[in-house]
Amino acid sequence: MKTGFLDIEVSKLIKADWNYKEDDAKKLNDLVNNIKRNGQVENLIVRKVGDKFEIVNGNHRYDALKELKIKKAIVCNKGEISKPEAMRL
């Protein structure tokens, strides 16, 4: 699998269970409105885990993309990096 910037099916993305950030309804609403207005302007950072891509950075953007039923996300794929490496990012 190629690393770097890619278009990935949103259905292939999963949230990292180790992410310390909490869900925030206001932030989600703001992101949904921003993506409606401008499209996805910031990529998500992901790592390959099995047949999925775990979100290293961008859980709120992921939630907004799902709410808007957007099928593909722009990601920076870091490849098969370890969990400690992902957590440092």
Side-chain angles (χ1 to χ4, degrees), residues 8-22:
I8 298 286
E9 296 285 331
V10 172
S11 63
K12 292 184 178 181
L13 300 173
I14 56 172
K15 286 184 169 184
D17 60 6
W18 46 263
N19 190 311
Y20 62 91
K21 293 184 180 176
E22 297 181 17

Side-chain angles (χ1 to χ4, degrees), residues 1-2 8 10-11 16 18 20 32 35-37 39 41 45-46 50-53 63 65 76-77 85 87-89:
M1 168 55 72
K2 184 176 138 184
I8 298 286
V10 172
S11 63
W18 46 263
Y20 62 91
V32 165
I35 291 171
K36 279 182 186 177
R37 197 171 36 254
V41 296
I45 300 174
V46 301
D51 64 344
K52 297 285 186 179
F53 294 88
D63 290 338
L65 293 170
C76 178
N77 178 26
E85 288 174 293
M87 292 174 85
R88 279 196 300 272
L89 291 174

Side-chain angles (χ1 to χ4, degrees), residues 21-66:
K21 293 184 180 176
E22 297 181 17
D23 291 338
D24 180 328
K26 180 178 178 347
K27 182 177 276 190
L28 176 59
N29 186 58
D30 290 347
L31 278 169
V32 165
N33 288 330
N34 187 285
I35 291 171
K36 279 182 186 177
R37 197 171 36 254
N38 302 310
Q40 183 187 349
V41 296
E42 287 187 68
N43 64 279
L44 288 76
I45 300 174
V46 301
R47 72 180 180 128
K48 185 84 167 95
V49 177
D51 64 344
K52 297 285 186 179
F53 294 88
E54 183 179 63
I55 300 166
V56 173
N57 182 291
N59 279 343
H60 293 107
R61 278 169 272 152
Y62 166 74
D63 290 338
L65 293 170
K66 278 182 49 180

